[in-house]
Amino acid sequence: MEKVKEPKRKLLEVRQLATTFHTNRGPIRAVDGISFSVYEGEILGLVGESGCGKSVTSQSILRLYNEGKTAAYQGEVFLNGQDLMKLSEKTMRSIRGRDIAMVFQDALSSLNPVMTVGEQIMEPLFIHRKMNKKDARDEAIELLKLLGIPAPEKRFFSYPHELSGGMRQRVMIAAALACRPKLLIADEPTTALDVTIQAQIIDLLVELNQKLGMAIIFITHDLGIVAETCERVIVMYLGQIAEEGIAKDLFHSPQHPYTVGLLNSVPRTGENAPKRLFVIPGIVPTLRQIPQGCRFEPRCRYATMLCHTKPPDLLVNINNEQQKVRCWQYISPEAFAYG
């Protein structure tokens, strides 16, 4: 008799998260009431063009912006049932790096230039795991080995500028993994790397996900990477979720015009490949120029007067509860219901 597979448990649940920045010209809302979940051991893709709120979302989960002076948060972020938004800054510092770790997109600017890579990997081991210097050094070298860095005992004493881009990115991941976090947020970890190194980093993250059972939020604008690695995908546009669903469903049957445009923009080869690369008209508006109705309306060829005047809600497909779409044109009353 075939064993019934147990459903995955929710690790992270984001409810109506909103992030507003304080500026000299008034408040700007960069993330506007988004909700999603991350399950144990899964890889969730967060995609969209630059300026759509992907990085702000990830950094808001960790409350990295200076509250009061820089930004204000609204909503709830539950990690294993505990609302991170209600915790003190001291408690949040104990969670960052231990339970949730982050890999930033530019390793050279994220790493401290005057500390060796070994010292930077050891730092979370001192803070969160209370290791002595010898044990922390041994653990740091083991992490460098795990990340496939050659001669780890030697690289332990190197400074960031002495390493290649791929090596620096691996060091960033090693520091993030030092405390075996339950959730890793990878914010475009392959930016500015050549194609070969990109593939190595992606394969490494997938391998670590499988080996350590660690959940990953993978932030990227590369849909090819998403198709190969992610179980579920969230498409963001101008601070909101435009579409969400299982990766294979989203790629085979995209419902939102923005998702369709992103997929059509992926270069193709072969006899049936288009002669000219598809381009989504226009650019992402600034946060001070958010349209009155649907946020994608100025760039959408299917837009109607309804799209221009009234913003659509994010709806759940009653035939597929894992599919959600925010669009007037791609939603039929029979298939979708308010969720």
Side-chain angles (χ1 to χ4, degrees):
M1 184 175 177
E2 187 177 349
K3 186 177 180 181
V4 178
K5 191 175 181 180
E6 293 184 5
K8 291 184 177 180
R9 190 174 68 89
K10 281 184 183 179
L11 174 65
L12 183 80
E13 186 174 6
V14 178
R15 299 178 185 172
Q16 294 298 313
L17 176 64
T19 304
T20 304
F21 290 105
H22 308 305
T23 72
N24 293 332
R25 297 173 59 189
I28 292 180
R29 179 164 288 194
V31 175
D32 192 6
I34 68 170
S35 301
F36 64 92
S37 299
V38 182
Y39 295 86
E40 289 183 338
E42 83 163 336
I43 303 180
L44 174 70
L46 198 58
V47 303
E49 295 170 279
S50 297
C52 285
K54 306 184 301 297
S55 296
V56 176
T57 297
S58 64
Q59 295 181 37
S60 298
I61 289 171
L62 286 167
R63 289 170 54 189
L64 293 181
Y65 301 111
N66 190 329
E67 297 174 55
K69 292 184 178 179
T70 304
Y73 303 115
Q74 290 177 292
E76 300 168 311
V77 178
F78 290 95
L79 178 68
N80 284 328
Q82 184 179 37
D83 188 359
L84 302 184
M85 291 296 166
K86 293 181 178 179
L87 302 181
S88 65
E89 177 58 27
K90 182 179 179 181
T91 306
M92 277 303 301
R93 282 198 297 268
S94 69
I95 289 174
R96 298 183 191 119
R98 185 192 68 189
D99 298 320
I100 306 178
M102 189 163 182
V103 178
F104 296 92
Q105 53 185 292
D106 185 0
L108 188 59
S109 62
S110 300
L111 293 171
N112 191 325
V114 298
M115 291 176 64
T116 65
V117 298
E119 290 174 323
Q120 296 185 62
I121 297 172
M122 288 166 63
E123 190 172 19
L125 298 174
F126 291 145
I127 295 172
H128 297 297
R129 295 176 63 179
K130 310 299 181 185
M131 285 188 174
N132 59 47
K133 191 171 183 179
K134 181 183 181 302
D135 290 342
R137 181 180 181 278
D138 292 341
E139 181 68 14
I141 291 174
E142 283 301 313
L143 284 165
L144 292 174
K145 286 181 182 177
L146 178 66
L147 272 295
I149 294 179
E153 292 85 358
K154 181 180 178 181
R155 294 301 181 190
F156 179 90
F157 297 101
S158 299
Y159 289 89
H161 71 272
E162 298 177 312
L163 303 178
S164 66
M167 288 284 191
R168 285 194 292 266
Q169 206 66 24
R170 289 169 186 264
V171 169
M172 281 278 293
I173 297 172
L177 295 179
C179 296
R180 299 294 191 268
K182 301 179 182 72
L183 173 64
L184 178 69
I185 302 175
D187 187 359
E188 301 196 29
T190 58
T191 299
L193 300 179
D194 63 62
V195 177
T196 305
I197 301 301
Q198 283 186 28
Q200 292 175 2
I201 296 296
I202 298 304
D203 290 344
L204 178 63
L205 288 173
V206 173
E207 181 184 347
L208 292 171
N209 163 257
Q210 296 170 349
K211 185 182 293 185
L212 304 177
M214 173 183 61
I216 298 176
I217 298 178
F218 199 102
I219 300 172
T220 182
H221 55 264
D222 190 331
L223 290 173
I225 293 175
V226 172
E228 292 178 4
T229 61
C230 299
E231 299 171 46
R232 292 189 301 122
V233 184
I234 292 173
V235 180
M236 286 193 68
Y237 186 77
L238 206 56
Q240 293 184 334
I241 294 176
E243 185 168 357
E244 177 184 348
I246 298 173
K248 63 179 181 179
D249 293 342
L250 187 139
F251 280 93
H252 291 149
S253 181
Q255 298 296 304
H256 197 285
Y258 181 56
T259 310
V260 174
L262 290 176
L263 290 171
N264 287 338
S265 301
V266 177
R268 291 174 174 82
T269 58
E271 294 181 1
N272 298 325
K275 294 182 179 179
R276 297 188 62 181
L277 188 64
F278 177 82
V279 177
I280 301 175
I283 60 173
V284 180
T286 69
L287 293 171
R288 295 190 182 279
Q289 299 173 322
I290 294 177
Q292 178 183 352
C294 172
R295 299 191 175 192
F296 188 61
E297 178 267 331
R299 307 175 68 188
C300 180
R301 63 177 177 171
Y302 303 104
T304 65
M305 184 55 66
L306 177 63
C307 305
H308 180 71
T309 57
K310 186 177 179 181
D313 293 312
L314 185 67
L315 305 183
V316 180
N317 186 336
I318 60 175
N319 297 319
N320 181 358
E321 293 184 356
Q322 304 216 46
Q323 182 186 28
K324 299 178 183 178
V325 186
R326 188 189 299 274
C327 177
W328 291 119
Q329 298 299 313
Y330 276 65
I331 293 170
S332 66
E334 296 79 18
F336 289 82
Y338 283 92

